[in-house]
Every structure is written in structure tokens, then in C-alpha cells.
């Protein structure tokens, strides 16, 4: 593991040796990561927000919290059911709901996984803190604590009955 002058471990950018194109595949397989317009953050369908920015306690950030200079960890909820786009045949584009966590702090920060839909939990699909198997899938119950390592990114997908 080598560290850049900014302190980010270069090994965290490397893909899983068993799945070298995992990052690219994840993005290409999920239209929620390739929006064609800016996200607005307001309810677009059945009260579902297309995006929500979250604090480590799993609650939505307030406007005042956006202005705080010491924020080190945030989560982004992306609603796949709220994509406002159609495919080549005119059908609505839908995807899974995702939670992307960012920890810029050098220490671990516990993150409470939110519960947006009753009975749903979370399934990890990427954790850059795992050098050996960053794409290993693990199930988590909503409202449980995710041990989020320093200087890393995690991607989870909402899952029924996880």
C-alpha cells in the first residue's frame, strides 16, 4: 500500500483481481449512476425522492449542515424507481435503489443504514476498504451500523428482506 501526498491509499483504487472491471461493470449495469440531468432532491413519484444526502446517523442533511466545514462523511441515496427517462422503446427506465457512502476522514466512522422502505435492508456491492474482495456481497439490516473505514467509498443496494 502506498500513500499519496494527500494521504489516500492508492491500493483502494485497484479493482478486485478476480473482477478487474467491476467498477465499470457496476456503473454500466445500473442506469441510476448515469443520469442525463441534474438531480433535484424533491419527490418525483409516490413521494420518492430521486436523491437524498445523509449524515452518518442515517438522517437527511439539513441546509445548515451543508455549510459546516468539518463534514467528513456523507451518504447519497439514489432512487432507481425515480429515474425520469425512457429507453429506446419508450419504456420508463427503472433501477435498484442505491446508497453510496463517502468517508474522507482518516478514521473509521460508523454509519447508520437508513430504512427508506419497510422490510428492506441493504446489500453491499462495493467497499474500497476491502483490499482482498471489494465486491464481496454482504447483507445488512436497515438501521444497523455499518463499520465504515477511513478514506473509503462503499456502495450498497436496497434489498427486500436483507
Amino acid at each position: 500500500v502506498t500513500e499519496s501526498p494527500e494521504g489516500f491509499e492508492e491500493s483502494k483504487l485497484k479493482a478486485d483481481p478476480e473482477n478487474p472491471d467491476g467498477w465499470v461493470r457496476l456503473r454500466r449495469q445500473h442506469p441510476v449512476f448515469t443520469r442525463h440531468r441534474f438531480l433535484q432532491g424533491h419527490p418525483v413519484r409516490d413521494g420518492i425522492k430521486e436523491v437524498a444526502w445523509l449524515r452518518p446517523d442515517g438522517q437527511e442533511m439539513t441546509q445548515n449542515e451543508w455549510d459546516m466545514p468539518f463534514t467528513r462523511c456523507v451518504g447519497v441515496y439514489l432512487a432507481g424507481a425515480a429515474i425520469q427517462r425512457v429507453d429506446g422503446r419508450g419504456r420508463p427506465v427503472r433501477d435498484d435503489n442505491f446508497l453510496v457512502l463517502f468517508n474522507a476522514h482518516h478514521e473509521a466512522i460508523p454509519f447508520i443504514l437508513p430504512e427508506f422502505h419497510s422490510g428492506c435492508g441493504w446489500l453491499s456491492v462495493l467497499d474500497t476498504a476491502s483490499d482482498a474482495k471489494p465486491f464481496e456481497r454482504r447483507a445488512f439490516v436497515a438501521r444497523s451500523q455499518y463499520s465504515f473505514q477511513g478514506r473509503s467509498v462503499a456502495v450498497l443496494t436496497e434489498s427486500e428482506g436483507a
Side-chain angles (χ1 to χ4, degrees):
V1 174
T2 59
E3 287 203 19
S4 67
E6 295 81 27
F8 188 85
E9 295 177 16
E10 290 178 16
S11 68
K12 292 186 179 181
L13 295 175
K14 294 179 182 172
D16 182 349
E18 298 174 31
N19 188 6
D21 60 345
W23 292 70
V24 174
R25 184 179 304 127
L26 179 65
R27 183 178 176 273
R28 286 184 178 162
Q29 288 178 345
H30 294 283
V32 76
F33 297 120
T34 57
R35 303 290 177 113
H36 292 179
R37 61 178 189 75
F38 286 107
L39 301 172
Q40 301 298 311
H42 51 71
V44 293
R45 186 176 293 112
D46 300 327
I48 299 172
K49 283 186 171 185
E50 60 185 349
V51 63
W53 294 87
L54 308 172
R55 304 182 304 243
D57 67 359
Q59 301 300 309
E60 194 164 355
M61 292 178 70
T62 65
Q63 185 60 47
N64 287 342
E65 289 165 330
W66 274 108
D67 298 330
M68 294 182 182
F70 55 83
T71 300
R72 301 286 186 257
C73 180
V74 297
V76 183
Y77 175 75
L78 299 167
I83 297 172
Q84 296 182 320
R85 188 168 88 218
V86 294
D87 65 14
R89 295 184 176 173
R91 297 175 298 202
V93 173
R94 299 285 177 261
D95 197 3
D96 298 328
N97 300 322
F98 282 88
L99 180 63
V100 183
L101 307 177
F102 301 91
N103 184 359
H105 194 50
H106 66 277
E107 295 179 357
I109 295 178
F111 200 101
I112 304 299
L113 299 174
E115 181 177 39
F116 286 105
H117 300 97
S118 181
C120 288
W122 296 95
L123 183 65
S124 67
V125 294
L126 170 66
D127 189 335
T128 62
S130 175
D131 289 331
K133 295 189 181 273
F135 294 97
E136 181 179 30
R137 294 183 179 257
R138 293 177 293 146
F140 296 91
V141 176
R143 298 187 181 138
S144 65
Q145 183 174 301
Y146 186 83
S147 182
F148 194 34
Q149 299 305 306
R151 295 191 177 110
S152 62
V153 175
V155 179
L156 300 99
T157 185
E158 198 169 31
S159 173
E160 289 186 35

